[in-house]
Amino acid sequence: MNVYLENVNLSSTTGPNYFAQKLMKYMSLRGTEFSSLFPYDVKLTFIESMGERPDLPMIQRLDGIYFNANFDCNRMNYNIKRTYEQADAVVFQTQFNKNLIFNWFGPHKQWSVINNGADMLYLKNFTRCADLI
């Protein structure tokens, strides 16, 4: 399977972008491709879609929405909610985010929670170094 990434900056280490880097690393170990050299099978959109590759089934990765009563959250969440409604499946960052978004946007028919976690292969390098000390 080859995955098209939308709304991801792989040169950035901010939250969603760093999660994308780790997800790519571990999914690649299981045989998933993230290459522009092959036809794409699915689009993984981080937070909101910009309309790229509308021909592909879309999975939305959500780490939260705007919910501060002091702001116009409906306006701020508009494109996120539109993406949510168009997505074939949604991956939430935490159970809290899933509950929050289900409460604000309504339940989604296909969803999963994948928590942000530590990169265990990266941390193993430090463990090996600590054993040498």
Side-chain angles (χ1 to χ4, degrees), residues 52-106:
E52 298 171 18
R53 299 302 309 254
D55 56 313
L56 296 171
M58 177 174 46
I59 301 170
Q60 180 186 33
R61 165 73 164 128
L62 262 177
D63 60 356
I65 59 172
Y66 300 99
F67 61 97
N68 185 326
N70 295 321
F71 298 99
D72 183 357
C73 294
N74 288 330
R75 183 184 56 76
M76 296 169 74
N77 287 321
Y78 179 80
N79 199 36
I80 298 170
K81 184 177 181 185
R82 182 189 57 77
T83 302
Y84 181 81
E85 291 169 347
Q86 292 176 352
D88 296 287
V90 179
V91 175
F92 299 101
Q93 178 181 352
T94 64
Q95 186 67 35
F96 171 82
N97 285 328
K98 179 244 170 204
N99 294 342
L100 173 74
I101 292 163
F102 269 35
N103 186 51
W104 280 63
F105 292 173

Side-chain angles (χ1 to χ4, degrees), residues 7-22 46:
N7 202 20
V8 174
N9 178 356
L10 295 173
S11 62
S12 171
T13 57
T14 60
N17 298 307
Y18 184 59
F19 177 80
Q21 293 167 22
K22 290 187 293 183
F46 282 68

